[in-house]
């Protein structure tokens, strides 16, 4: 039955449904609203966590988060800090590429999809408070600590664990510390090491094809709960911020060591990594925020 609302103009007819049908429609509309992904304006999103190079926001659905890549670069436990225009955009793209490829070969990660230039949708995981470093060639802290010349091929890939704690400067820890203090169980350590080796094999081959040597890298892992079931997945990011990447021919550094060692040319190096992997195409403008208001 269609009747005309007397107070409205006759061009706005109101559809009056019999009571049970009206209730049904209302329920359907409510269900549709629940199913619709929520679009929350940037400035009204709930910030869950802010790290040195990334921010985590509440995601559009339960169990999801939005990972936002900032332009901040830090080193030596944030004693050195700079904002490098465009770094976040490059790391978002490079990390998306790594995680999507890992997902595709069956290495579980937190990554769902990239949302925009700086953000990706990820699954909410319980981060295990460890930085897992895999080394193929001696460099960085390993060379310093053990006096092994940088560039020396290691007899086999080495996995190290660091306890994620800024106040303590992320100290190196053993499996004994990890299990005794309950940061991860022996079974979880086995899973983490197996994942780390798979990531190392896959990334080493991927970079080799692009004329880049994967010297070492750091990953973080998380517990992903699916009902009663839990599995360990790769979380955080994989980018030139968290890897050591050397050009095979020239040995040029193409990673965050350019910032750590004041070598300059970080954006050019990250752009070259993305270009060689086919992530950005020839002629694509290196990412930037565009003109900035100088105050
Ligand atoms: P290291 O030689 O300084 O111990 O670094 C090993 C790897 O871990 C290297 O690829 C850089 C990466 N890394 C991070 O991603 N975050 C950190 O805080 C540190 C110290 C290293
Ligand atoms: N990300 C670390 C920091 O700023 C250090 C590093 O990457 O070298 O503390």
């Amino acid at each position: 039955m269609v009747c005309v609302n007397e107070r409205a103009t006759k061009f706005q007819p109101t559809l009056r449904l019999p009571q049970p049908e009206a209730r049904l429609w209302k329920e359907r509309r409510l269900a549709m609203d629940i199913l619709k992904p929520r679009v929350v304006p940037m400035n009204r999103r709930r910030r869950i966590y802010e790290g040195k190079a990334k921010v985590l926001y509440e995601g559009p659905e339960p169990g999801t988060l939005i990972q936002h890549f900032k332009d901040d670069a830090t080193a030596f436990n944030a004693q050195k800090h700079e904002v490098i225009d465009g770094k976040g955009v490059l790391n978002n793209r490079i990390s998306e590429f790594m995680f999507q490829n890992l997902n595709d070969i069956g290495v579980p990660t937190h990554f769902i999809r990239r949302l925009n230039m700086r953000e990706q949708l990820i699954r909410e995981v319980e981060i295990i408070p460890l930085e897992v470093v895999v080394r193929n060639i001696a460099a960085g802290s390993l060379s310093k600590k053990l006096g092994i010349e940088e560039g020396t091929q290691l007899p086999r890939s080495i996995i190290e664990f660091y306890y994620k704690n800024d106040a303590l400067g992320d100290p190196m820890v053993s499996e004994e510390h990890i299990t005794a203090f309950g940061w991860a169980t022996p079974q979880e350590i086995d899973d983490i090491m197996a994942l780390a080796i798979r990531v190392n094999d896959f990334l080493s081959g991927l970079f080799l094809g692009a004329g880049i040597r994967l010297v070492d890298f750091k990953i973080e892992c998380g517990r992903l709960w699916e009902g009663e079931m839990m599995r360990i997945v790769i979380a955080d990011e994989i980018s030139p911020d968290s890897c050591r990447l050397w050009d095979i021919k020239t040995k040029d550094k193409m990673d965050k060591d350019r910032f750590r060692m004041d070598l300059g040319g970080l954006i050019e190096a990250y752009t070259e990594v993305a270009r060689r992997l086919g992530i950005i195409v020839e002629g694509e403008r290196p990412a930037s925020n565009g003109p900035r208001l100088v105050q």
Side-chain angles (χ1 to χ4, degrees):
M1 173 181 52
V2 176
C3 63
V4 175
N5 185 327
E6 280 151 31
R7 269 168 297 169
T9 69
K10 56 180 172 225
F11 303 112
Q12 291 173 310
T14 311
L15 183 66
R16 288 251 169 89
L17 293 166
Q19 273 301 309
E21 268 181 66
R23 204 178 321 118
L24 208 78
W25 276 99
K26 199 173 161 194
E27 276 167 15
R28 269 196 206 154
R29 222 179 25 243
L30 260 171
M32 294 296 277
D33 281 349
I34 290 165
L35 288 175
K36 243 191 285 170
R38 275 186 302 128
V39 180
V40 183
M42 277 272 270
N43 55 356
R44 267 196 277 132
R45 275 193 208 148
R46 198 157 72 88
R47 195 167 49 180
I48 306 285
Y49 171 83
E50 176 147 12
K52 285 176 273 212
K54 294 186 293 295
V55 187
L56 292 178
Y57 295 97
E58 191 176 47
E61 283 130 39
T64 66
L65 296 175
I66 292 168
Q67 179 164 257
H68 177 106
F69 287 76
K70 301 191 284 184
D71 282 337
D72 298 65
T74 64
F76 316 117
N77 207 4
Q79 286 175 57
K80 185 177 160 80
H81 175 244
E82 234 175 77
V83 176
I84 304 178
D85 189 18
K87 181 175 81 75
V89 175
L90 280 160
N91 280 350
N92 186 27
R93 292 279 295 271
I94 296 171
S95 202
E96 170 200 14
F97 181 80
M98 300 304 169
F99 277 82
Q100 188 56 60
N101 272 292
L102 289 170
N103 281 345
D104 291 346
I105 61 158
V107 176
T109 81
H110 72 164
F111 179 80
I112 301 173
R113 66 188 151 88
R114 183 166 64 85
L115 295 172
N116 56 48
M117 298 273 278
R118 287 187 181 273
E119 292 173 335
Q120 40 187 251
L121 186 66
I122 57 167
R123 286 184 207 291
E124 188 172 20
V125 300
E126 193 182 302
I127 288 287
I128 294 169
L130 296 173
E131 299 204 335
V132 182
V133 169
V134 182
R135 300 180 187 273
N136 300 307
I137 291 170
S141 67
L142 179 88
S143 289
K144 211 178 288 168
K145 243 183 308 207
L146 302 182
I148 303 172
E149 197 190 342
E150 273 222 347
T152 308
Q153 177 80 45
L154 298 171
R156 62 171 176 81
S157 301
I158 293 171
I159 302 178
E160 299 170 345
F161 298 104
Y162 294 83
Y163 177 45
K164 260 172 76 76
N165 185 318
D166 282 342
L168 301 175
D170 299 343
M172 191 195 247
V173 289
S174 70
E175 292 183 43
E176 279 286 280
H177 296 120
I178 297 168
T179 52
F181 297 121
W183 300 323
T185 65
Q187 177 60 54
E188 286 174 335
I189 296 177
D190 285 351
D191 291 351
I192 291 169
M193 289 178 79
L195 282 177
I197 289 164
R198 287 189 73 190
V199 173
N200 185 43
D201 287 348
F202 179 70
L203 292 189
S204 294
L206 196 70
F207 282 119
L208 202 60
I212 297 169
R213 179 86 63 208
L214 178 62
V215 174
D216 55 36
F217 65 94
K218 183 263 307 184
I219 51 169
E220 292 182 27
C221 296
R223 298 183 185 95
L224 178 64
W225 290 92
E226 287 158 334
E228 290 296 291
M229 297 285 288
M230 184 279 288
R231 59 188 172 135
I232 305 285
V233 303
I234 311 288
D236 194 51
E237 70 175 292
I238 300 177
S239 73
D241 266 15
S242 57
C243 301
R244 272 202 182 88
L245 306 169
W246 293 354
D247 182 278
I248 285 186
K249 282 201 198 118
T250 64
K251 301 252 169 57
D252 275 354
K253 296 183 194 302
M254 306 176 80
D255 57 69
K256 203 168 99 175
D257 270 352
R258 300 209 70 86
F259 167 72
R260 294 188 188 98
M261 298 173 166
D262 291 318
L263 299 174
L266 178 138
I267 289 295
E268 290 76 5
Y270 284 29
T271 304
E272 179 62 11
V273 171
R275 196 192 61 75
R276 287 200 203 174
L277 292 168
I279 298 168
I280 55 174
V281 290
E282 207 76 52
E284 200 173 323
R285 218 163 53 87
S288 111
N289 280 336
R292 270 208 185 148
L293 181 67
V294 179
Q295 294 179 333

